[in-house]
Amino acid sequence: MKKFDLPIGVYAITDSKSGKNKEFLEYCEDLLKGEAKIIQYREKKRDLKLLLEEAKALRELTLKYNATFIVNDYLDIALLSEADGIHIGQDDLPIKDVRKILGENKIIGISTHNPQEAQQAIIDGADYIGVGPIFYTETKEDVCAPVTLEYLDFVNKNIKLPYVAIGGIKENNIDKVLAMGAKSICLVSELVGADNTLETTKRINNIIKHWHKN
Ligand code: 3NM
């Protein structure tokens, strides 16, 4: 039995530019008020003490809004902040070793970019996968070329794991991703760059939920 399903709606990821016009936590609270039910804390190349401090604060905030809290990459930060789980990349520690450290009850997600990686994620015991980048993105450094809607279609039809569609997804192209069956959708720059993060998150959540209402 699956222990976890991704919520239908926006899968929010923080970015070093999150809250550039606002305090970081205020930005995250806008995501939560806009009904994001899952937040991944993704911050690269920063002071570990600061990462832990922010992760703990975000853990507290996500509990207040009854949202799932995932930490990107850092196992130590995930454990110390009592996150619900971790999201890793293909070059990180193997899932079975991450599982040994985190335990059975925590969520492990992994980014995948092709059918082989998706199939391997099942074998390795991932709880969900990231599917991307669907479209061109400048947000993630060293990411591969867009995997296109073709890979999303493959995952939707063949991979029996929850998945989040990611990469270059905007309000003006989200319909294409929804039409493939995606239920959990991540938009980073679209939310970071929004004039009103709360309203934009809410509006995009409504689009996703409306699409899947039956
Ligand atoms: N992971 P935006 S693409 C964090 O394909 C991340 O694994 C990706 O940002 C992957 O919505 C990506 O601004 C960045 O394109 C997504």
Side-chain angles (χ1 to χ4, degrees):
M1 200 180 71
K2 267 192 306 197
K3 73 167 183 252
F4 167 75
D5 210 352
L6 285 165
I8 294 177
V10 170
Y11 179 127
I13 297 188
T14 69
D15 173 89
S16 54
K17 299 187 204 80
S18 302
K20 64 181 178 326
N21 300 316
K22 274 191 166 191
E23 289 298 320
F24 175 75
L25 283 176
E26 218 181 306
Y27 174 81
C28 293
E29 189 150 18
D30 280 350
L31 295 171
L32 293 161
K33 285 184 180 159
E35 290 167 29
K37 286 286 165 207
I38 181 161
I39 293 195
Q40 182 191 127
Y41 179 57
R42 180 175 182 273
E43 300 296 329
K44 307 276 177 188
K45 305 186 213 92
R46 285 172 62 188
D47 176 332
L48 279 176
K49 287 194 279 303
L50 183 60
L51 284 180
L52 180 58
E53 205 178 293
E54 275 188 351
K56 281 184 171 171
L58 196 45
R59 165 72 291 184
E60 218 169 286
L61 195 62
T62 46
L63 282 175
K64 183 170 146 200
Y65 285 85
N66 203 17
T68 300
F69 178 52
I70 303 284
V71 169
N72 183 276
D73 283 359
Y74 294 94
L75 258 170
D76 43 7
I77 304 280
L79 276 169
L80 290 167
S81 66
E82 298 180 19
D84 297 302
I86 193 162
H87 186 95
I88 57 175
Q90 291 292 324
D91 295 334
D92 290 316
L93 291 174
I95 290 176
K96 66 175 183 346
D97 293 314
V98 174
R99 179 74 70 203
K100 270 188 214 157
I101 295 172
L102 278 190
E104 284 304 318
N105 294 329
K106 298 283 183 180
I107 299 159
I108 301 178
I110 185 163
S111 301
T112 71
H113 314 288
N114 56 55
Q116 294 72 22
E117 288 174 357
Q119 272 146 352
Q120 192 61 44
I122 298 180
I123 295 166
D124 293 344
D127 296 301
Y128 78 92
I129 58 171
V131 174
I134 305 294
F135 305 115
Y136 174 75
T137 178
E138 286 185 359
T139 305
K140 187 174 184 175
E141 285 170 19
D142 303 326
V143 76
C144 61
V147 296
T148 76
L149 294 166
E150 206 180 314
Y151 175 47
L152 184 59
D153 190 38
F154 169 85
V155 170
N156 198 51
K157 290 181 177 149
N158 300 288
I159 301 296
K160 303 282 168 254
L161 270 182
Y163 69 86
V164 52
I166 187 167
I169 303 173
K170 313 275 177 198
E171 195 168 352
N172 66 12
N173 62 17
I174 198 168
D175 280 10
K176 294 186 180 141
V177 178
L178 287 164
M180 290 287 150
K183 294 181 173 150
S184 172
I185 301 185
C186 177
L187 310 88
V188 183
S189 43
E190 188 77 333
L191 297 180
V192 170
D195 288 336
N196 186 327
T197 303
L198 194 163
E199 287 307 323
T200 307
T201 308
K202 197 179 261 179
R203 201 170 55 242
I204 294 174
N205 253 321
N206 286 339
I207 295 171
I208 302 171
K209 284 176 189 159
H210 181 74
W211 197 284
H212 289 293
K213 73 174 182 285
N214 295 317

